[in-house]
Amino acid sequence: MASGSDRNPIIIGGLPSQVPDFDPEETQEWLDSLDAAVDERGRERARYLMLRLIERAREKRVAVPEMRSTDYVNTIATKDEPFFPGNEEIERKVLNATRWNAAVMVSRAQRPGIGVGGHIATFASSASLYDVGFNHFFRGKDDGKGGDQIFFQGHASPGVYARAFLLDRLTESQLDAFRQEKSKAPHGLSSYPHPRLMPDFWEFPTVSMGLGPLGAIYQARMNRYMEARGIADTSDSHVWAYLGDGEMDEPESLGQLSIAAREGLDNLTFVVNCNLQRLDGPVRGNGKIMQELESQFRGAGWNVIKLVWDRSWDPLLAQDRDGILVNKLNSTPDGQFQTYATETGAYIRDHFFGDDQRLRAMVENMTDDQILHLGRGGHDHKKIYAAYAAAKAHKGQPTVILAQTVKGWTLGPNFEGRNATHQMKKLTAEDLKGFRDRLHLPIPDKDLEDGAPPYYHPGRDSEEIQYMHDRRKANGGYVPTRVVRAKPLELPGDKAYATAKKGSGQQKIATTMAFVRVLKDLMRDKEIGKRFVPIAPDEYRTFGMDAFFPSAKIYNPLGQQYESVDRELLLAYKESPTGQMLHDGITEAGCTASLIAAGSAYATHGEPLIPVYVFYSMFGFQRTGDQFWQMADQLARGFVLGATAGRTTLTGEGLQHADGHSQLLASTNPACVAYDPAYGYEIAHIVRDGLRRMYGENSEDIFYYLTVYNEPIQHPAEPDGVDIDGILKGLHRVKPAEKGEHPAQILASGVAVPWAIEAQQILADDWNVKADVWSATSWNELRRDAVEIEEHNLLHPEEEQRVPYVTHKLQAAEGPKVAVSDWMRAVPDQIARWVPGTYQSLGADGFGFADTRGAARRFFHIDAQSIVLGVLTELAKEGKIDRSLLKQAIDRYQLLDVTAADAGEAGGDA
């Protein structure tokens, strides 16, 4: 592997502009030589010489400006291509069978009465790119390690299924159950790569475009991280990401290229299928997407391999002494190349070669059919093999292979290169016959004229199938395959949680700090401490986690090659090649990708990691919510901390930082177990149970989301006989009423619990109301329990009807129930239908703003005095008190005047 200085140059391609010329005569000699080359041999020859000089300069480690794009030809010259070790004839037969079955599977799924569709054109264009990988490069998991991690392009899934069918990994019944996961259970196949739906097959969900490349980068980085920390041997693992050229317009696709280059991730290869088409038209009709991507990847520090033309172009390019052909290739826009893909050989002769006599002379001995079959490089196995081999051999940089293909390749003139091909799912009888003939398959016409077209299998004992098995055996087993080898962890006992259970005494701390204290004790555990992976987007100090710097250190494969500006501080910034903390910079998307890679390591590499991702809650589920769905699909586990939560608690930051809804967004993710704890002892029990559920015996494919706040409060010690079951299920009573006549119940969560306790005292002292205070640690879990029970009762009317936990818990609680939180009302309203008696919620609906905590809470009417009014209002509705008292309360506490509110607790980490 390249050294750090090789992989991380501070200046790339810099050109000195103020350096004096110490030898003008020598300089002039070089300039005269260039002038002579131009005058005597022409500009093209001079250009060639300059390119060779640049190439030699790089070999001699002379820094010169890098070219951001090169000619529109293959990067690897024909003379430099390695020997192709495969049997190309057999591989062609295998691929033809795969192509057929992929298209037929989608076509059969579109039959009358089913009509679930599918996509066939993407795989048709990328089939050879995958086939070379399957036959020669993709490493399986048979050796007990992680093998290669392959991010398959989502729309190409039919081809992966079709190949698995040939290998007897899937049956014909399963192919016929494509996109019919429930009606054809247990044979159903998911539409795209979904590990949650097919947990023994797919590893990485990719069809939400842009997340595949992002996830692949951080998977490659996680592989290096695990190896550096001695957790798993990932030295033989290579990450392959198959992407579309249209997909690269997604910001996530290109947004994190720099980290892959900065950390020298030569264990990563992007293969961009440049079929020049988006879903409904050209990617760059007037431009050249391959050139554009080459510039972007080179500029980011990647190694770029262009695979533009197949071997049929080699003789033409070899005779292009004047560069006329290369110039034509450079200047022809993508939209025109797509037209050539749909036209005749005669049209190409006239319109591509015909406008220059020198070009026309190159093809005068070629037939129109030969011109028609001048192909794209992404369909040539030998060219693909050369590109893959070069990518694997390259050190010090990640590699991107830009492979030009034709969308819908081999599917016939109605599909190939057509703008609508992505949406075309049905092959007519004539399409099928032409497709069959193109693939040379022995399928009679009669089988294509009536009913659904048949699948094709050459026979288990055929040469083709045995070749496929042999190649996979030589490469370590079948892919894709998801295997869970990880054993349950030995989890820590009571001692690890003792500090949190003691409370904070007279000290005031935020729940963020209460969690950090729990995490710090857990990271000291001899059994699982090293498996924690703290992750933060450049905010460790904000969250009080700088205390981890001296011991855990920040992961950086290059170490710390400078003196830290705060080196004299006890909590100085400290980087290390074996660091435990991931400090990914200001990128929630990158941090979430790290979270997913770490959270799925138990399956990818058989070694559980426990990621703990801490972020500003507003920028979690809102900004990267799609990735949390990806996390759920990938069956990743771990803890997600929405810090500085609440719409009124993060003072001074204003609208875009004021989170009053992430708990509601979290409730939409079925794999997310969300809590809003108020005290340290609640956090301790929640974390302990989360570790048990995710990493103990009978582990579950879930992840935990805890919202914690930056407002300092006093944390009581855990009371005797604490209701642990209530904490975990979502509701427990934290403070029974001590005096008063009229009973009521206040349900609060998170930072609102202290307001509720203050309101409890005011109600007793001023209004003779005895209100119990409950901590609703999880509105979401209460609702899920109720929905599950309601569903059971709906389908089992003959059985004794079950009662939701929240209903059972509050059944004997007298008086109206008032819920309050620093969230919008829709969060506590989730349980409204199952709360016995009258129920009202108070919440922070609307946009947040910058002000004191007290003023903001008075504005939203969620502070202690507003809770008092809410309880009195419900008592008045029940006729327990006179309604005139409500106006008295409003006037007494000046509830319509935000300036009358106490400013509240100031400070906190923000």
Side-chain angles (χ1 to χ4, degrees):
M1 181 163 176
S3 67
S5 60
D6 292 338
R7 294 192 291 112
N8 193 42
I10 296 174
I11 299 173
I12 300 176
L15 183 66
S17 57
Q18 291 185 322
V19 177
D21 188 347
F22 293 106
D23 194 339
E25 290 184 11
E26 182 184 34
T27 304
Q28 191 59 49
E29 289 175 5
W30 280 88
L31 295 176
D32 290 343
S33 296
L34 176 61
D35 291 344
V38 173
D39 294 341
E40 296 175 16
R41 302 297 300 278
R43 290 187 178 89
E44 287 303 321
R45 177 61 180 168
R47 180 176 181 274
Y48 177 79
L49 292 173
M50 289 296 298
L51 293 175
R52 289 304 303 272
L53 281 172
I54 291 173
E55 183 179 27
R56 180 55 58 87
R58 290 177 184 166
E59 292 173 358
K60 296 294 185 180
R61 310 181 68 75
V62 177
V64 293
E66 293 186 14
M67 291 188 305
R68 297 310 186 208
S69 65
T70 58
D71 287 328
Y72 202 61
V73 294
N74 296 341
T75 300
I76 301 173
T78 304
K79 65 181 179 61
D80 297 327
E81 291 173 6
F83 170 75
F84 180 69
N87 185 318
E88 199 166 6
E89 178 61 24
I90 294 179
E91 291 188 15
R92 183 187 63 78
K93 292 180 180 179
V94 167
L95 186 55
N96 287 350
T98 305
R99 286 181 180 279
W100 175 266
N101 291 330
V104 165
M105 180 181 68
V106 173
S107 187
R108 287 166 71 114
Q110 196 63 14
R111 62 192 180 274
I114 302 296
V116 293
H119 301 285
I120 55 179
T122 293
F123 176 72
S125 66
S126 58
S128 294
L129 298 173
Y130 287 115
D131 212 49
V132 173
F134 278 119
N135 288 331
H136 303 286
F137 289 94
F138 300 159
R139 296 290 305 168
K141 299 173 181 284
D142 283 359
D143 61 359
K145 297 181 182 180
D148 285 355
Q149 289 79 57
I150 307 155
F151 290 71
F152 293 95
Q153 197 176 357
H155 290 137
S157 59
V160 183
Y161 291 142
R163 196 174 210 278
F165 165 69
L166 293 176
L167 289 167
D168 281 339
R169 300 186 65 208
L170 297 176
T171 66
E172 185 172 321
S173 295
Q174 286 176 293
L175 296 193
D176 268 349
F178 177 58
R179 294 191 170 199
Q180 300 154 72
E181 297 173 70
K182 299 301 181 183
S183 61
K184 293 293 179 65
H187 303 297
L189 297 181
S190 63
S191 53
Y192 303 121
H194 292 304
R196 183 164 286 275
L197 301 176
M198 296 179 66
D200 299 324
F201 193 84
W202 296 114
E203 282 197 282
F204 305 104
T206 54
V207 80
S208 188
M209 286 190 284
L211 299 191
L214 182 67
I217 289 172
Y218 283 86
Q219 181 62 57
R221 185 196 191 211
M222 185 57 59
N223 290 357
R224 288 281 168 81
Y225 170 89
M226 295 181 73
E227 186 172 8
R229 295 195 53 225
I231 292 174
D233 179 5
T234 63
S235 57
D236 291 333
S237 290
H238 198 85
V239 178
W240 301 84
Y242 286 81
L243 316 167
D245 49 358
E247 179 181 7
M248 304 313 287
D249 283 342
E250 288 284 5
E252 296 87 352
S253 296
L254 299 173
Q256 292 296 303
L257 297 185
S258 60
I259 189 174
R262 189 166 63 245
E263 298 196 4
L265 298 180
D266 49 24
N267 60 339
L268 170 66
T269 298
F270 277 13
V271 181
V272 183
N273 175 23
C274 296
N275 57 35
L276 313 186
Q277 285 188 226
R278 293 190 182 119
L279 305 185
D280 288 310
V283 179
R284 298 288 186 274
N286 292 322
K288 299 180 83 64
I289 185 60
M290 292 185 74
Q291 303 297 83
E292 181 180 320
L293 291 175
E294 180 184 21
S295 297
Q296 291 171 321
F297 278 92
R298 282 195 194 280
W302 284 53
N303 175 45
V304 180
I305 298 174
K306 285 198 302 195
L307 176 56
V308 192
W309 308 114
D310 73 6
R311 71 193 74 174
S312 64
W313 285 87
D314 289 349
L316 295 178
L317 289 165
Q319 61 179 293
D320 185 31
R321 296 181 181 276
D322 296 327
I324 302 302
L325 176 57
V326 170
N327 182 64
K328 183 67 174 181
L329 295 172
N330 287 340
S331 59
T332 302
D334 285 354
Q336 191 62 43
F337 276 125
Q338 289 303 83
T339 298
Y340 293 144
T342 65
E343 284 291 347
T344 65
Y347 178 93
I348 298 170
R349 185 191 299 274
D350 290 340
H351 290 79
F352 182 81
F353 294 101
D355 57 358
D356 189 303
Q357 184 56 41
R358 292 168 295 179
L359 285 176
R360 199 171 186 94
M362 284 186 180
V363 295
E364 62 185 0
N365 294 323
M366 295 177 65
T367 67
D368 287 348
D369 188 62
Q370 287 174 321
I371 291 176
L372 179 64
H373 288 93
L374 288 169
R376 313 285 171 96
H379 303 308
D380 187 324
H381 279 212
K382 288 186 177 181
K383 300 285 188 184
I384 296 168
Y385 181 89
Y388 286 9
K392 286 293 296 288
H394 189 78
K395 299 302 178 185
Q397 291 175 290
T399 294
V400 59
I401 297 170
L402 304 174
Q404 185 170 207
T405 66
V406 175
K407 196 163 189 176
W409 182 242
T410 73
L411 290 175
N414 293 328
F415 283 80
E416 288 181 355
R418 302 292 178 182
N419 282 340
T421 190
H422 186 79
Q423 306 300 335
M424 297 167 68
K425 313 173 191 303
K426 186 73 173 176
L427 291 145
T428 66
E430 291 307 309
D431 290 331
L432 288 165
K433 290 176 183 178
F435 187 32
R436 173 207 59 192
D437 294 342
R438 181 83 170 267
L439 302 179
H440 307 287
L441 298 178
I443 301 173
D445 282 355
K446 63 181 180 61
D447 291 350
L448 304 179
E449 294 169 349
D450 298 316
Y455 297 111
Y456 174 73
H457 198 296
R460 289 181 175 85
D461 297 327
S462 66
E463 184 181 38
E464 302 97 287
I465 301 304
Q466 291 306 308
Y467 182 89
M468 295 175 73
H469 285 295
D470 289 344
R471 295 312 307 146
R472 288 318 313 154
K473 184 177 180 180
N475 283 292
Y478 300 101
V479 290
T481 299
R482 184 177 180 275
V483 180
V484 179
R485 299 190 178 102
K487 296 179 180 178
L489 297 179
E490 184 177 336
L491 301 177
D494 294 339
K495 183 179 179 181
Y497 306 97
T499 300
K501 293 181 181 181
K502 290 179 181 178
S504 62
Q506 296 303 308
Q507 181 187 15
K508 290 184 176 183
I509 65 170
T511 47
T512 302
M513 185 55 64
F515 175 84
V516 169
R517 290 180 176 181
V518 172
L519 177 60
K520 191 172 185 179
D521 288 341
L522 287 171
M523 287 176 65
R524 290 171 175 163
D525 184 80
K526 293 181 180 179
E527 297 296 328
I528 69 167
K530 70 175 184 178
R531 296 186 181 274
F532 282 93
V533 183
I535 304 167
D538 201 34
E539 294 282 2
Y540 275 125
R541 293 190 191 277
T542 297
F543 305 135
M545 298 177 72
D546 47 347
F548 294 7
F549 289 167
S551 55
K553 300 182 179 62
I554 296 162
Y555 171 72
N556 187 325
L558 303 174
Q560 187 164 315
Q561 301 175 9
Y562 61 93
E563 287 188 322
S564 173
V565 69
D566 61 358
R567 61 189 178 279
E568 295 179 358
L569 297 179
L570 178 64
L571 304 181
Y573 194 87
K574 186 63 178 176
E575 297 178 272
S576 167
T578 59
Q580 188 168 0
M581 307 169 74
L582 293 180
H583 206 188
D584 286 347
I586 306 175
T587 167
E588 282 81 6
C591 290
T592 311
S594 287
L595 164 73
I596 296 169
S600 53
Y602 74 94
T604 308
H605 293 293
E607 290 288 350
L609 294 177
I610 309 172
V612 180
Y613 171 31
V614 190
F615 56 89
Y616 270 58
S617 63
M618 183 66 166
F619 304 137
F621 274 88
Q622 174 168 298
R623 178 172 290 181
T624 59
D626 195 12
Q627 285 178 279
F628 284 113
W629 275 93
Q630 181 188 25
M631 182 177 185
D633 197 348
Q634 200 163 314
L635 290 81
R637 304 164 183 171
F639 291 95
V640 178
L641 271 293
T644 61
R647 185 143 284 163
T648 67
T649 304
L650 183 59
T651 57
E653 295 293 323
L655 186 149
Q656 285 190 300
H657 287 66
D659 175 21
H661 56 280
S662 71
Q663 278 284 343
L664 196 64
L665 296 175
S667 73
T668 65
N669 192 313
C672 179
V673 181
Y675 285 93
D676 189 33
Y679 297 130
Y681 71 83
E682 293 178 333
I683 292 173
H685 285 292
I686 291 166
V687 170
R688 184 173 189 173
D689 195 56
L691 287 172
R692 177 190 65 82
R693 292 181 64 183
M694 293 186 288
Y695 298 96
E697 298 286 346
N698 303 312
S699 55
E700 301 175 56
D701 297 318
I702 54 177
F703 66 95
Y704 271 55
Y705 178 52
L706 279 68
T707 43
V708 289
Y709 302 81
N710 73 317
E711 181 173 2
I713 63 170
Q714 281 185 290
H715 291 248
E718 178 178 293
D720 294 335
V722 65
D723 182 6
I724 298 175
D725 188 55
I727 291 173
L728 300 179
K729 290 187 175 179
L731 186 66
H732 72 114
R733 185 159 50 185
V734 292
K735 200 171 191 310
E738 296 178 355
K739 61 180 182 178
E741 177 183 354
H742 306 295
Q745 311 297 321
I746 305 174
L747 284 60
S749 71
V751 75
V753 171
W755 320 337
I757 291 175
E758 183 184 353
Q760 178 190 53
Q761 188 66 46
I762 297 172
L763 284 164
D765 293 344
D766 296 354
W767 306 98
N768 196 27
V769 174
K770 55 175 183 178
D772 293 343
V773 175
W774 302 74
S775 175
T777 53
S778 181
W779 308 103
N780 296 358
E781 288 300 291
L782 291 173
R783 181 185 184 277
R784 285 184 179 169
D785 168 79
V787 167
E788 183 179 334
I789 286 175
E790 197 170 72
E791 176 79 358
H792 178 273
N793 291 342
L794 176 70
L795 300 176
H796 300 86
E798 74 286 357
E799 297 181 7
E800 181 179 354
Q801 299 291 278
R802 299 177 183 177
V803 179
Y805 182 83
V806 64
T807 306
H808 171 76
K809 201 72 173 174
L810 295 175
Q811 196 70 60
E814 298 181 88
K817 285 81 177 176
V818 174
V820 62
S821 73
D822 207 6
W823 307 101
M824 58 192 301
R825 294 186 185 202
V827 175
D829 282 352
Q830 292 180 94
I831 66 169
R833 63 184 293 174
W834 298 286
V835 175
T838 58
Y839 182 79
Q840 180 191 161
S841 65
L842 305 176
D845 287 72
F847 290 112
F849 54 87
D851 212 315
T852 65
R853 290 177 175 130
R857 289 162 187 169
R858 178 60 55 86
F859 175 83
F860 286 116
H861 303 302
I862 55 176
D863 59 356
Q865 292 76 13
S866 298
I867 297 171
V868 169
L869 178 62
V871 171
L872 296 178
T873 299
E874 294 307 305
L875 288 170
K877 288 180 182 177
E878 293 184 353
K880 301 294 177 60
I881 63 172
D882 192 273
R883 287 192 60 82
S884 63
L885 296 180
L886 305 182
K887 184 62 167 63
Q888 293 180 29
I890 293 171
D891 294 340
R892 182 172 184 173
Y893 304 123
Q894 297 177 273
L895 294 182
L896 301 181
D897 183 4
V898 298
T899 64
D902 185 276
E905 183 70 47
D909 299 316

